């Protein structure tokens, strides 16, 4: 299990090209992705509970190893481990493979530092039919256990690109016919304004900035427009991933209403 323990460290994940996916949902989604899982680890007392997943692994010729509950606990990122993990190959792709010519809804996470937020944004992008999620060089590691867990398996569903430069991505997006919008609660333009103008249905790259300071001025200069999500109540602001969910839902709904 030494190789599995190494995957708790970012530098070793990078060196090995592997990461851990923990829990039934993540393991199930990983097994459904062709060629992603390299080994399944299951707790000695959890074999019966996960026999269905072990059967899927066996049919896919994925090796399965049992481990003590203590070992599983050491590899787990949760307080109450479910007793099953998968060692997976990394799944990110180059930017040009993620930002394809016919993309209509793409997300760029710019300097997002909280792994839970990054994982949840990936989950939201997956839920609302985004074509890809791009992750900047200054963002948290895509394969951080908390990021993987927060994605609830969506990390295996859509193209993901890491180490992305915003300037390069914005240029490629425009060349592919996408508008480049950034989310900012203080922006003059709102998502309602975009909807009224018919711009919300256009192919779009949404850029979501850092939880604390948003998008820096030099990055704002690379965008077509900053867009706010109106707040009608007394809340000071919305969590990053919550705002992302609403904006992505609005875009996806508008696009589908016009046949996009």
């Amino acid at each position: 299990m030494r190789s599995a323990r190494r995957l708790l460290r970012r530098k070793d994940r990078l060196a090995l090209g592997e990461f851990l996916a923990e829990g039934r949902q993540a393991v199930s989604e990983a097994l459904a992705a062709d060629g992603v899982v390299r080994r399944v680890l299951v707790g000695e007392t959890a074999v019966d509970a996960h026999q269905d997943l072990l059967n899927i692994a066996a049919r896919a010729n994925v090796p399965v190893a049992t481990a003590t509950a203590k070992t599983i606990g050491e590899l787990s990122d949760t307080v109450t481990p479910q007793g099953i993990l998968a060692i997976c190959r990394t799944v990110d792709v180059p930017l040009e493979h993620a930002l394809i010519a016919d993309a209509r809804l793409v997300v760029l996470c710019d300097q997002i530092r909280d792994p839970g937020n990054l994982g949840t944004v990936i989950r939201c992008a997956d839920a609302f039919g985004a074509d890809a999620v791009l992750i900047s060089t200054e963002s948290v590691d895509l394969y951080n256990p908390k990021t993987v867990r927060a994605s609830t398996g969506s990390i295996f569903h859509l193209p993901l690109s890491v180490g992305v430069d915003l300037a390069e991505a914005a240029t490629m997006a425009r060349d592919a016919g996408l508008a480049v919008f950034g989310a900012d609660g203080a922006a003059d333009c709102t998502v309602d304004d975009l909807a009224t103008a018919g711009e919300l249905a256009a192919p779009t790259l949404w850029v979501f900035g850092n939880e604390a300071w948003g998008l820096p001025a030099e990055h704002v200069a690379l965008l077509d427009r900053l867009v706010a999500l109106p707040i009608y109540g007394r809340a000071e602001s919305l969590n990053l991933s919550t705002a992302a969910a609403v904006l992505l839902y609005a875009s996806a709904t508008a696009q589908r209403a016009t046949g996009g």
Side-chain angles (χ1 to χ4, degrees):
M1 301 299 171
R2 182 178 298 177
S3 61
R5 289 190 179 92
R6 289 182 64 187
L7 299 180
L8 297 174
R9 298 186 293 269
R10 179 175 185 170
K11 66 175 184 178
D12 289 331
R13 292 194 293 268
L14 182 63
L16 295 170
E18 296 179 341
F19 68 102
L20 292 173
E22 177 190 350
R24 282 189 57 85
Q25 181 66 24
V27 173
S28 175
E29 300 297 343
L31 286 169
D34 187 42
V36 167
V37 180
R38 292 180 170 167
R39 179 181 296 182
V40 172
L41 304 178
V42 62
E44 293 171 338
T45 60
V47 171
D48 290 343
H50 303 302
Q51 191 61 58
D52 57 334
L53 295 181
L54 303 183
N55 291 341
I56 294 172
R59 290 195 294 271
N61 295 316
V62 173
V64 175
T66 57
T68 64
K70 179 181 178 182
T71 297
I72 294 293
E74 291 171 349
L75 296 173
S76 174
D77 188 56
T78 58
V79 177
T80 55
Q82 295 181 22
I84 190 166
L85 304 99
I87 296 177
C88 304
R89 66 167 177 83
T90 52
V91 296
D92 58 277
V93 299
L95 175 60
E96 60 269 22
H97 294 175
L99 191 49
I100 55 177
D102 61 349
R104 291 192 56 80
L105 184 58
V106 179
V107 175
L108 194 155
C109 297
D110 185 43
Q111 302 183 34
I112 292 181
R113 303 292 172 82
D114 181 85
N117 272 335
L118 179 58
T120 303
V121 170
I122 293 170
R123 181 182 183 182
C124 292
D126 182 23
F128 299 125
D131 296 292
V133 175
L134 316 178
I135 302 160
S136 77
T137 51
E138 301 87 359
S139 292
V140 68
D141 180 18
L142 170 62
Y143 303 109
N144 180 297
K146 289 182 173 63
T147 302
V148 177
R149 179 157 50 89
S151 82
T152 62
S154 288
I155 192 174
F156 303 110
H157 292 171
L158 73 171
L160 305 166
S161 187
V162 300
V164 171
D165 176 74
L166 175 57
E168 181 183 6
T171 298
M172 288 182 63
R174 291 191 185 96
D175 289 344
L178 279 72
V180 183
F181 296 149
D184 187 325
D188 293 331
C189 174
T190 71
V191 68
D192 296 334
D193 295 330
L194 290 183
T196 300
E199 296 180 53
L200 194 57
T204 301
L205 169 66
W206 276 106
V207 182
F208 300 116
N210 179 269
E211 296 89 342
W213 61 79
L215 292 163
E218 62 270 23
H219 289 192
V220 171
L222 299 170
L223 309 176
D224 295 330
R225 184 173 296 176
L226 282 176
V227 181
L229 181 64
I231 294 178
Y232 303 117
R234 297 173 61 188
E236 183 272 332
S237 64
L238 288 174
N239 173 273
L240 167 67
S241 55
T242 301
V246 178
L247 292 169
L248 292 174
Y249 169 78
S251 277
T253 301
Q255 289 178 358
R256 280 157 178 74
T258 58

